[in-house]
Amino acid sequence: MFRAGLAADGPLCVALLGACARRGDALRAEAWLRRLAAAAGTAELGTRGFTAVIGALMNVGDADRAHGWLREMEASGVQPDVVSYTAVVQAHLKAGRAAEAEALLHRMRAEGPRPNALSYGLVLGALAERCDGAAAERWYAAMLADIGLPDTVAHNAVLAACARAADAARVELWLGRTMPVGRLRPDEVTYTGNTVLDAYARGGSGEEVEARFLQLTAGAEPWVSARTFAIRMRPWAYAGDSARVEQQWREMEALGVRPEACNMWALLTALARARPPRAEAAARRYQESGRPQAARRTTTSCAR
């Protein structure tokens, strides 16, 4: 670029850095940022130039360098925006550093720029993975106070955090706060229903899961998925009740729901844990499935 006599103006700098970022070449993006800053000044690079490099580092999970460029950006007089900060939040989360991500979100709330729905949603998703329902509830309240957005994804992240902690009571409380079903997309209804069932499956018996399933589906439009049946099958599978799992398999097929790996896992587990174990039946069903990878996957392989 310099040999061709091109001036290092703002749009050209941003385009070059963005190209490096899109290719996933974080090292080259950093090298060009330093070179362009020396040639044209940091003001010419602007917020978008720095953010492109931060995004490239976020994509490779290098939280320390991403955060370092955020500090460099501020020190050079370039004002980060919510996209810059959110990229660093995501980098910390990808590196498994939820505490640092939360600290940065606290700073955004106190000093700006104001977090957006994505900023909050990333942290809520991480808290769901950690089964930290209490912290998820606090951040959801902060989100509503700051931006007043009844975000379904964020709401379901709180549901998921409580469900993964097997806290069915909290799940029921949050279910009561769910936006009217008429305002939800079909996939959102399915996710919410599955999240509620998952809470019961983690902490209760097969009978409790079935009772809650009947309550959720009574008078409602069909919303079940392969994961719904995998959740229903799970308690029976661990109990070795292969007859009940096979019955639910037939019910799933009758509804036109295509079995997935998570359902095969439940069936094979039930057959293996039956008393006496039904090894021949397990081998037959495994071969009939035509999916040799199915037995090595867990219930999480089913989407929604």
Side-chain angles (χ1 to χ4, degrees):
M1 183 179 79
F2 295 113
R3 285 195 298 268
L6 296 176
D9 63 356
L12 186 59
C13 293
V14 171
L16 177 59
L17 294 170
C20 294
R22 285 190 295 274
R23 291 178 57 189
D25 195 342
L27 288 175
R28 181 166 292 180
E30 286 185 290
W32 271 111
L33 180 58
R34 294 187 183 94
R35 189 174 181 185
L36 292 169
T42 55
E44 197 68 36
L45 296 172
T47 301
R48 290 178 60 194
F50 277 94
T51 301
V53 175
I54 291 171
L57 292 165
M58 176 272 291
N59 287 332
V60 298
D62 194 330
D64 287 331
R65 283 157 64 199
H67 207 148
W69 279 111
L70 182 68
R71 296 189 187 97
E72 178 68 23
M73 185 178 182
E74 294 171 320
S76 65
V78 177
Q79 184 62 43
D81 60 11
V82 66
V83 178
S84 315
Y85 271 90
T86 301
V88 179
V89 168
Q90 192 168 6
H92 281 301
L93 293 174
K94 287 187 73 170
R97 294 157 56 170
E100 287 84 349
E102 288 187 79
L104 195 55
L105 199 55
H106 276 299
R107 180 183 169 191
M108 293 170 71
R109 294 191 73 211
E111 304 173 10
R114 188 175 68 170
N116 59 18
L118 177 60
S119 313
Y120 282 109
L122 290 168
V123 171
L124 286 168
L127 293 170
E129 292 294 327
R130 287 167 48 190
C131 312
D132 194 340
E137 288 180 338
R138 289 195 298 272
W139 279 114
Y140 185 83
M143 176 181 177
L144 291 183
D146 286 351
I147 60 180
L149 182 64
D151 185 87
T152 307
V153 175
H155 183 279
N156 278 332
V158 181
L159 271 175
C162 297
R164 289 169 183 166
D167 191 343
R170 301 300 295 175
V171 169
E172 292 291 346
L173 175 64
W174 279 89
L175 182 63
R177 299 174 182 173
T178 302
M179 291 184 290
V181 171
R183 293 178 55 188
L184 300 182
R185 299 190 311 270
D187 64 304
E188 293 171 336
V189 175
T190 299
Y191 182 89
T192 301
N194 286 345
T195 301
V196 173
L197 287 179
D198 190 47
Y200 282 87
R202 289 172 184 267
S205 65
E207 288 86 356
E208 290 175 300
V209 175
E210 287 303 297
R212 196 66 186 93
F213 173 75
L214 293 174
Q215 292 172 348
L216 288 169
T217 54
E221 291 293 321
W223 54 264
V224 297
S225 66
R227 182 168 182 263
T228 310
F229 280 95
I231 294 168
R232 291 176 62 195
M233 292 172 174
R234 193 192 311 154
W236 305 115
Y238 283 133
D241 193 337
S242 57
R244 185 66 71 100
V245 174
E246 288 179 311
Q247 174 190 335
Q248 292 183 344
W249 186 288
R250 291 190 294 271
E251 179 186 340
M252 176 174 58
E253 291 183 319
L255 288 174
V257 177
R258 182 179 179 181
E260 296 188 16
C262 50
N263 308 112
M264 180 56 65
W265 169 88
L267 179 57
L268 295 178
T269 300
L271 292 169
R273 289 178 174 238
R275 293 291 178 268
R278 299 174 58 193
E280 291 184 4
R284 184 179 67 255
R285 292 302 296 267
Y286 176 66
Q287 293 298 326
E288 290 173 352
S289 71
R291 301 183 66 175
Q293 297 298 319
R296 292 198 288 272
R297 298 176 185 169
T298 67
T299 56
T300 57
S301 61
C302 283
R304 299 290 180 186

